[in-house]
Amino acid sequence: MKQTQAVGIDLGTTYSCIAWLNEHGHPVTIPNQEGELATPSVVFFDDHEPIVGTEALRNAIARPERVVQNAKRHMGDSDKFWRIGANRYNPVQISGLILRKLIAAAQDQIGEINEAVVTVPAQFSDAQRHATVTAGHSAGLEKVEIINEPVAAALCHVLGNEGLAFTELAIDQQLLVYDLGGGTLDLAIVSYSSDQVRVVASDGDLELGGLDWTQVLVDIAADRFLDDFKEDPRQDPHSHQFLALEAEQAKRSLSVRPRAAVTVQHEGNRRTYQIEQEEFEHLGRALLKRSNVITRRILADNGFGWAHVDVVLTTGGSSRMPMVRESLKKLSGRTLNSSLSPDQSIAHGAAYYSGMLLANQEYTRTIFDSQASSRLAHIQQQSVNARGLGILIRDTQTGDRVPHYLIPPNTALPASHTHVFGTVVDQQTKVHIRIVESGAGPGKPHTILGDCLITDLPSNLPEGSEVEVMISYDAQARVHVSARELKSGRSAETEIIRQENMAGQLQQEVDDVTHAAPPAKKVEAPQPAKAASQRKVETPPPTSSTSPKTTLSDEWAAVSARLSELSKFADSVDQAEQPVLLCNSCGTALGPKGKCSACDAAPKKRKRPTGVKRKSVQRTSASKPGAAGTAPAKRKRKKTAKTEAAGKSTNKQRSSEDDFWDLVD
Ligand code: ADP
Ligand code: MG
């Protein structure tokens, strides 16, 4: 009989953690070989082998050009590489090495591990999820399941945590999960009712986390040093890295003390500066405002007021900062629930989910006692998609290709939607359906996931011939698309033809890099891409990137640039000094007299008592076509024909053959 364990891994931007469920169904964190419960997500390439964790972090000062940090911020970016000596490494390879380290230590303690649940931010795109799975395979896992981080936190809460496993919750609850880690802010509204954990909505920021607060301290100390010595320590990778580690320590001290020391050393000069908590909080307010905007957004976008939230559940290491807690308290007007371990709850939640997945299998009773296995078998979880899913269609007014989202964000999974589009020109013999996913937040550009092609259509089809497109997310948020020309019946379907064949392309490189890492067990090849011919040909990075100045400095420069962007943004947003009252009908911030401008302007939405299932957010998969983007609502074909006619002249001005593969709504 196959022996397996319920294992969950929190693959964090700055720290990673692995846990398993013991036979009683209790989550237990497994320490790494150095005895630490959390492992820094840092890789140091010494001359012989990759080293992961605290030792790697220590080397970041002496040999910054050989250290990679914060790889998760680049997950899914196929153009991102770190050049170390003669080799180059991408985010999947780096993540694979971190996972390998965690798994190796865990195997020493609990035996062979073939499968695991790995956590991802709720806002991760399809490509980023896929990259995470590939990293898991490269670390020797045969099967990798994914769970959204706030969902893991919610599971940890409802199933009990830290020694209180399987604590039953007395009442049905709506939770707001607030997870502020090192690199990301993840939010989710989660509804818990008798054995079901259901995500109502998720939101977040993939570029807001503890790193940004650390950068505030780096900038304070570096600016003072610059004043004193006319030299900027941020210009030198060694000095910069030393300062970043100092700032990280000081940041933690400032969570419990009114001031902390930061030492700067650069070009033979050394000085220690005292930084007051007040100054830190003042300069960090732009970051808090960003967090507040996203927190309000998740409620407003889903028609929630604070009265609908029973528990504000905090987790993630950065939720320890008093300024974060105070700000969230003011915003919500309520006490925060801090019962979760900020460092371990995500891994524990992933271990619970792993146990839930195993619970219905025949060998479950060899892993868990009967009480644990029956409890795990009862609990269900349902998630939502974070990104809208649709296709590019021709805007008949402008001639541009624009996204038409068929499945909006926060639709319960699995979900599918069918819509009929029209061909653009007479005698169109091919249809090129380009599948897109909305960006990570408002204003962020959409990304192209892949293509679905229908070829060899009959040559006599008139313009506006109907093509039915069916697009779906399965329960694991994998994308499926099919399309059919209704007259001829010609059809095509795909599970996404990737633009970047991440799995196949990266696997070889992952195998190359891990040659010196602890021996991997059998590695299952990830799913081959369906259209290798569409792989993007990579151009190697310029050789100048071997310069020591390119790695960590670039990382911190990016954080710094983002910070100044946020400071500008902060000036345009009000600080929440008081609890922000939100309309309990639509979630919009109430005006000074407690009136809701949105509800006064529009017909009132139906009120909903706390804890009661919300029809408006429990959309069926087909309930809100086009809601996520610029897409027009479904129109009758007659009207479409008219608008197509209007756009015809635009079409004719275009010469590319590809123009005649399009669809219009
Ligand atoms: P991730 O999973 O994104 O790596 P974690 O949830 O592990 O993030 O949290 C790590 C972040 O929490 C780091 O930025 C770290 O500096 C911050 N952190 C941890 N402890 C504290 C503390 N006591 N005060 C302030 N920040 C902290
Ligand atoms: Mg985390």
Side-chain angles (χ1 to χ4, degrees), residues 10-15 72 119 149 179-182 184 316-317 342-343 346:
D10 171 6
L11 178 60
T13 311
T14 51
Y15 286 87
K72 186 172 171 181
T119 66
E149 281 156 13
D179 173 8
L180 185 62
T184 58
D343 308 311
I346 306 291

Side-chain angles (χ1 to χ4, degrees), residues 7 11 162 178 238 258 295 343 356 370 396 432 533 585 612 637:
V7 173
L11 178 60
E162 327 304 358
Y178 180 94
H238 299 262
T295 309
D343 308 311
M356 285 158 56
S370 57
T396 52
H432 179 175
S533 60
S585 293
V612 173
R637 293 301 309 157

Side-chain angles (χ1 to χ4, degrees), residues 55-64 67 69 237-238 241 245 552:
E55 179 61 13
L57 195 56
R58 281 169 11 89
N59 275 280
I61 299 173
R63 302 178 73 188
V67 173
Q69 301 187 41
H238 299 262
Q241 185 56 37
L245 292 181
L552 293 171

Side-chain angles (χ1 to χ4, degrees), residues 334-354:
R334 65 190 53 216
T335 312
L336 310 180
N337 181 321
S338 311
S339 60
L340 295 182
S341 156
D343 308 311
Q344 299 170 56
S345 59
I346 306 291
H348 286 191
Y352 275 128
Y353 184 52
S354 185

